[in-house]
Amino acid sequence: MSLAYIVHLANYSDGVLYLLMLLFVIELAVIFDRGWYLRNAISKGRKILWGISNRGKLRRPDLEELSGMAKGLPEEALLSVALRHFNLIHHYGSARGEAFANRLDEAIFLTTPSLDKRLWILDTIVTLAPLLGLFGTILGMFHAFSILAAPGHDATSVTGGVADALIATASGLFIAMLGLLSFNAFNNSIEKTVFQLESLKVVLMNRLDGAPVVLEEDAIPQQPPVIKKAMA
């Protein structure tokens, strides 16, 4: 497909195909931006979560190290809350309590809206692109059937014009399908990220309280030793 033919198709739809190209570029920008951010949020957040869960009681150097690792991630807000209130928590001797849990919940509530940032653009493109493509096809149909009014018209020109007009609808549907798949995938990633934040909240409360890690062999109750009766 040459550039001249693309320009012909765009002009045939009265410029609607240019708008679809612009929507496609915007869609790709949002997909790459959100995809990169959410991918890092899930993978690096999982490492931070498992790194904390495998430790014992957390101290200030541990929290400072973890805050540095979580720089730019959603987990940074929760670790910052834990670091700010470390002295208060240490003074009372326990990280458990409604006040500390509420502060962690507040951090989660404030962080969650930033996860779906710019996803409304994908949602709008999914709805707008097919309608805009159909509108371009209708405009192209006007040009195709206007050939019938010309004397000595060629039937192949009409059918060729209809085929060119349908390019706009096909382009709009392709853009919408790509946006819909990405939008659903990002929503799934956001749910996983929120679940990781809720899990980090529980782990932070346990580790700041000094709760030890329960090993599998420790969880199995030991059988009392069997005392053999002395033989008569």
Side-chain angles (χ1 to χ4, degrees):
M1 183 179 293
S2 63
L3 180 61
Y5 183 62
I6 295 177
V7 173
H8 163 71
L9 292 176
N11 294 332
Y12 208 74
S13 63
D14 286 345
V16 172
L17 206 58
Y18 289 122
L19 294 178
L20 288 174
M21 292 179 183
L22 178 61
L23 289 181
F24 184 60
V25 172
I26 295 174
E27 181 182 70
L28 289 180
V30 174
I31 289 174
F32 283 121
D33 174 67
R34 290 292 87 191
W36 180 263
Y37 175 80
L38 292 174
R39 180 178 178 273
N40 287 335
I42 293 176
S43 60
K44 294 182 179 180
R46 186 184 298 114
K47 293 180 181 178
I48 294 174
L49 179 60
W50 283 106
I52 297 177
S53 62
N54 292 329
R55 300 190 185 192
K57 185 174 182 178
L58 293 176
R59 303 188 182 277
R60 177 175 288 275
D62 299 324
L63 292 174
E64 291 175 349
E65 176 188 356
L66 292 169
S67 297
M69 293 173 56
K71 196 69 175 177
L73 298 177
E75 288 78 9
E76 181 183 6
L78 277 74
L79 292 170
S80 298
V81 169
L83 187 59
R84 285 198 305 268
H85 296 280
F86 178 81
N87 290 331
L88 180 63
I89 295 169
H90 183 70
H91 176 74
Y92 287 104
S94 175
R96 298 185 185 277
E98 185 178 357
F100 183 62
N102 288 339
R103 289 188 176 93
L104 293 177
D105 284 333
E106 180 183 357
I108 294 176
F109 294 150
L110 294 176
T111 303
T112 301
S114 64
L115 298 178
D116 61 354
K117 184 170 56 177
R118 288 186 288 274
L119 287 189
W120 66 270
I121 299 178
L122 285 182
D123 192 18
T124 303
I125 290 177
V126 168
T127 305
L128 179 61
L131 297 177
L132 196 59
L134 182 60
F135 180 65
T137 296
I138 293 174
L139 294 178
M141 290 291 188
F142 290 154
H143 294 292
F145 288 112
S146 63
I147 301 176
L148 296 176
H153 63 273
D154 187 6
T156 58
S157 300
V158 178
T159 56
V162 172
D164 292 341
L166 290 174
I167 295 294
T169 298
S171 301
L173 290 175
F174 173 76
I175 295 172
M177 288 186 293
L178 180 61
L180 181 61
L181 291 174
S182 302
F183 184 77
N184 290 336
F186 291 155
N187 281 332
N188 185 46
S189 299
I190 290 174
E191 292 179 1
K192 292 181 179 179
T193 304
V194 173
F195 177 76
Q196 286 186 174
L197 293 177
E198 295 287 349
S199 302
L200 181 60
K201 168 195 168 183
V202 177
V203 172
L204 279 175
M205 294 180 65
N206 289 337
R207 295 302 174 268
L208 288 176
D209 191 52
V213 179
V214 179
L215 302 178
E216 293 182 0
E217 56 267 20
D218 296 336
I220 301 176
Q222 299 294 331
Q223 297 294 334
V226 178
I227 301 177
K228 295 182 179 180
K229 293 184 179 180
M231 296 181 61

